[in-house]
Every structure is written in structure tokens, then in C-alpha cells.
Amino acid sequence: MNMTKYFDAIDRTDLFKRYGKILRAVGLMIESRGPEANIGEVCYIHRPSHAPVIMAEVVGFRDETIMLMPYGSISEIGPGSLVESTGKPLTVKVGPGLIGQVINSLGECLDGSALPKGLTSYLTEQPPPNPLDRPTISEPIQVGVKAIDAMLTVGKGQRIGIFAGSGVGKSTLLGMMARYSTADINVIGLIGERGREVREFIDRELGEEGLKKSVVVVATSDQPALMRVKGAYTATAISEYFRDQGYKVNLLMDSVTRVAMAQREIGLATGEPPTTKGYTPSVFSTLPKLLERTGTSSQGSITAFYTVLVDGDDMNEPIADSVRGILDGHFILDRNLAEQGQFPAISILQSISRVMTSIVTKEHLDAAQQIKELIAAYEENRELIQIGAYKRGTNQAIDRAITYHPKIQAYLKQGTDDYYAMDESISQMQTLLNGGA
């Protein structure tokens, strides 16, 4: 037996553990003199007591000190606490056994139980696929929501932004898509959510059937900024793993705005200058790196839905504007429609699916366009119609829009427990236009 390679491995092994020492901790940031570590590597901070070590990540350097950001609380550490480098970035355990689990940003079960056996380690930060290795989006994927399947058809591997203010129904819509989609696996990232909403989403919106084919990654609003950012990376990494196994994956992330806010906290703590609305430059470089990782690849596809929480319903605020420019379409949830009792409150005229024209039949596209024209004609003359200033017979297009308006409104409404297959949604739309109820 040739033992040379084993002797060489022994010769290369470092038999010493090298530690650094904490110099100071200010706000989110911990400064340490040593150890040798690169940006992105995970370190262990040893506390004086016998308490478990604290995991932290190297996020920058300043002179001879390294800057660390912890994944958890920094209680019981002080000047001189030892810092040990693992020499590698954050990895999580992934595999088919993870389906049905609720985990945190580090890949640990949220209920404290042990992970299933047979999982493999996977880096949370991966490069996006080569653009030339991405197959074009050529077929639709059903999400089970009539307004989307018929009017704003989503393609397999498309990336969509769901834009809305607070309380307009984003989470409920995500739950419906998770339950009714034809994707093989759902990966759901609940980033920056209130703790109360996590259990409600899993029990009410997702349900037992939805959880059976889902992996839920949770990083609540009380957790450090780095954990919230890592939650988004972990959810994306799990999606990539299943895509590489050939699965059709849905990634549903609520919300990318809170990821951006967490990255802003990290940027400001490391000394970056604030720019637009206080967001640091790293926010606008992180977003495309994160969002471009999803989509099609030569093995499988990730169809991604990212919710974007817009401040004061301002669709042009910096994060909304940046995300809209990166993704392949956007759905706008209108507060006025929600207040009128329409769910889902999707504004058909303001929303767009950029690949719809390439993946649906001409008959389907023509029918959807006719519906949009009828909605547009009614909306342009809404005030005249409502105050009674418009007289029927004046304009044929407006007359038709008035006739069809209640039918269209009824068609676009859907209860959270109502399931419609895509063929059924399209058929109902065509029946509506042909004079049916």
C-alpha cells in the first residue's frame, strides 16, 4: 500500500489551535486581535463559563483586528474571551429528510430536536449559475390562484416579486401557492417575521398538507441582523440543493425587504456610508447576488416568489425599485382592492409576468388581454360611472366594460380554501368572455 499521501496529509496537519482575543464589543460588532481568518469564515467565541460557544462570522478587518458579527446573543463575553477560527464558511445539512422540518438560519430544528440522519453538508453561499447554462423558461407552472394562473401566468423557473404594504395579504397568498402549486418541493423563508406569525403561518396558511412537501426556514425579527441575512441564504441554498437533484422547487421568501434592512444594519456597523434612505452600498450588491441564484439550471428549476414590503405603499422606494429591476415580473397587491373585500388583492393592470407571452397559447393570451382591456376601460371611467355622469350608449367599449365588470370581479375573487387547476382557471376565463356566468 502506498502510504505517501497519508504521510503528506499528516505533515500538512496543523497540530496547534490558534486563538484570538476579544478587544471590544460595540453594538452589533465584536473586534478581536486574531486569529487568522478570512471574511465569511465562522469563528467560535469561548465564554469564561461553561456555557456553549457563540458562533460568529468574520465580516471585515480594521488595522490588525478582525471584525466579527455573532449569530446569537453575546452575553457572558468580555475583554480577553478567546476566539477560535473554524477555517470554513457556514454550511447547513440538506437532504430529502429535511422535508417537513422547520429550521433556523443555521439549519437546526427550531423545536430543538435532532436533524434526521443521512443529510449532507452544503455551503449557504453559492455563485449563481452561468447565464449560458440556464435553459430558457418554456412551460408554465400552476400556483392554484386563478388571477395568477390565467392573467399573470408564471413560468417554471421564473422569479416574481409580490409588492405590497403591510396587512394586504402577502403571507396568505404565499400559503395558498405553497398548498396548491404543482412544484415538487416548497422552501419557505420567513425572514424578519414576528414570532407570533410563524406558528400562525405554519398552522393556518401552510397547513398539514403544505408542510408535508415543504422546508420552512425561520429567522424572526428579534434575532441578530446576521441571522436574518443568513436565513435568506440558507433558504436559497436548500432550494439549490433540491434543484441540483432535478426537482421542481418553489422558493417563497417573506420578505426580501427585511433581508435588505438586516444587511443595512450590518453595513452601518462595519462602517459603510449610508446612501439612499440610509441603505448602504452593500445592500444593492447583495440583492442581485441573492436573487440571481434562483431560476432555471441544467438539472432542475427554482420558481421564486419574493415578497417586498413597501413603506407607505410607495412602489418606487429604493428596495422595491431595485428588486423590480432584477426579477422577471411583479405582482402588485392593492390596498384599495383589499379594503373592498377582494382577495387576492392583485392589481391586474399594475402587475406583469415577463415570460407569459412565451409560455401560453395564443388563445389564452388573447383572452387575458381582453380581460385587461375591459378592466382598463372601466378604471379610466370609474368616477364618471360611479357618480352617474356616464350615459350608456355613449361609448361601446365603456358599455361593454360596465357589463363585464361584476363578472370579472367575481372571477378574480378566490377564497383561501378554494383550489382551481390551471386548465379550470383558463376555461372559466374564456367562458366569461363568451357570455357565460
Side-chain angles (χ1 to χ4, degrees):
M1 182 186 291
N2 185 2
M3 303 293 289
T4 306
K5 63 179 180 179
Y6 299 105
F7 292 134
D8 289 343
I10 293 170
D11 290 338
R12 290 194 300 270
T13 302
D14 190 349
L15 302 179
F16 296 93
K17 278 190 175 181
R18 290 171 173 79
Y19 294 92
K21 283 189 176 182
I22 288 179
L23 300 177
R24 67 172 185 165
V26 180
L28 303 174
M29 199 60 59
I30 298 171
E31 293 187 13
S32 167
R33 175 85 63 183
E36 290 186 7
N38 299 320
I39 288 179
E41 285 185 10
V42 175
C43 293
Y44 294 139
I45 301 175
H46 295 266
R47 293 188 272 193
S49 64
H50 294 290
V53 296
I54 296 171
M55 293 178 67
E57 185 173 307
V58 181
V59 293
F61 298 93
R62 182 178 288 138
D63 298 327
E64 298 298 318
T65 62
I66 65 172
M67 300 166 70
L68 298 160
M69 190 162 283
Y71 289 136
S73 169
I74 58 173
S75 60
E76 296 186 46
I77 68 168
S81 293
L82 295 180
V83 180
E84 176 190 356
S85 175
T86 63
K88 56 186 180 182
L90 181 66
T91 60
V92 292
K93 296 288 187 179
V94 294
L98 206 59
I99 299 170
Q101 300 288 336
V102 182
I103 61 174
N104 65 13
S105 302
L106 305 180
E108 302 162 340
C109 288
L110 211 60
D111 60 5
S113 62
L115 284 169
K117 294 183 178 180
L119 305 180
T120 57
S121 295
Y122 198 82
L123 285 172
T124 59
E125 295 195 37
Q126 301 279 349
N130 187 312
L132 296 182
D133 291 338
R134 291 182 183 267
T136 56
I137 298 170
S138 58
E139 58 180 304
I141 186 169
Q142 174 187 298
V143 298
V145 180
K146 284 192 293 183
I148 297 174
D149 284 340
M151 303 296 301
L152 302 161
T153 311
V154 175
K156 195 183 297 179
Q158 189 175 354
R159 299 161 306 150
I160 293 286
I162 301 174
F163 293 72
S166 57
V168 187
K170 300 184 301 298
S171 298
T172 307
L173 182 59
L174 287 184
M176 286 179 67
M177 291 192 287
R179 291 197 308 272
Y180 302 144
S181 171
T182 52
D184 301 321
I185 296 167
N186 298 309
V187 180
I188 302 168
L190 302 178
I191 313 300
E193 288 287 337
R194 293 180 284 273
R196 173 185 63 81
E197 291 183 330
V198 173
R199 188 59 184 260
E200 286 185 1
F201 178 86
I202 294 170
D203 290 348
R204 296 181 185 175
E205 316 297 353
L206 188 58
E208 187 178 347
E209 288 302 313
L211 186 59
K212 283 180 181 177
K213 65 169 189 174
S214 302
V215 180
V216 183
V217 181
V218 177
T220 50
S221 57
D222 60 295
Q223 293 185 334
L226 191 59
M227 281 289 272
R228 282 174 271 147
V229 172
K230 289 299 174 184
Y233 282 109
T234 297
T236 306
I238 294 169
S239 303
E240 290 171 319
Y241 169 81
F242 285 114
R243 176 181 64 186
D244 293 344
Q245 303 301 310
Y247 290 100
K248 294 186 296 182
V249 184
N250 272 357
L251 172 63
L252 304 106
M253 191 176 294
D254 185 15
S255 75
V256 75
T257 306
R258 294 192 179 104
V259 176
M261 289 177 174
Q263 183 60 43
R264 175 174 63 183
E265 288 182 45
I266 294 170
L268 291 173
T270 55
E272 284 188 73
T275 53
T276 312
K277 277 200 172 181
Y279 288 102
T280 57
S282 64
V283 173
F284 300 101
S285 63
T286 298
L287 285 175
K289 288 178 185 175
L290 176 65
L291 303 181
E292 284 290 346
R293 286 169 61 180
T294 55
T296 57
S297 76
S298 54
Q299 290 88 16
S301 66
I302 302 174
T303 307
F305 298 90
Y306 299 97
T307 67
V308 182
L309 184 64
V310 290
D311 293 334
D313 294 336
D314 177 14
M315 299 298 167
N316 295 314
E317 60 98 26
I319 298 304
D321 204 42
S322 177
V323 171
R324 191 165 49 235
I326 298 168
L327 299 178
D328 309 319
H330 52 268
F331 301 157
I332 306 294
L333 301 190
D334 190 328
R335 189 175 297 277
N336 291 329
L337 292 176
E339 289 170 351
Q340 293 166 19
Q342 180 173 321
F343 180 83
I346 300 172
S347 173
I348 300 297
L349 297 181
Q350 297 180 70
S351 305
I352 187 172
S353 169
R354 290 182 178 145
V355 304
M356 180 177 176
T357 54
S358 307
I359 59 175
V360 300
T361 63
K362 186 177 183 303
E363 293 76 19
H364 178 179
L365 196 61
D366 288 345
Q369 189 60 39
Q370 286 183 58
I371 297 278
K372 288 180 182 179
E373 289 172 0
L374 290 168
I375 296 172
Y378 187 90
E379 291 300 324
E380 285 175 8
N381 299 277
R382 173 182 285 273
E383 291 185 5
L384 291 175
I385 296 167
Q386 289 183 339
I387 64 173
Y390 175 76
K391 292 183 179 180
R392 278 185 175 270
T394 307
N395 184 299
Q396 189 176 356
I398 299 174
D399 289 346
R400 191 163 180 261
I402 294 171
T403 302
Y404 276 92
H405 179 69
K407 297 179 181 180
I408 293 172
Q409 292 295 97
Y411 171 74
L412 294 177
K413 283 184 181 180
Q414 183 173 340
T416 54
D417 296 323
D418 296 338
Y419 166 72
Y420 294 91
M422 178 178 280
D423 292 342
E424 186 181 358
S425 299
I426 297 168
S427 175
Q428 285 186 16
M429 176 178 65
Q430 292 170 335
T431 301
L432 184 155
L433 287 171
N434 293 330

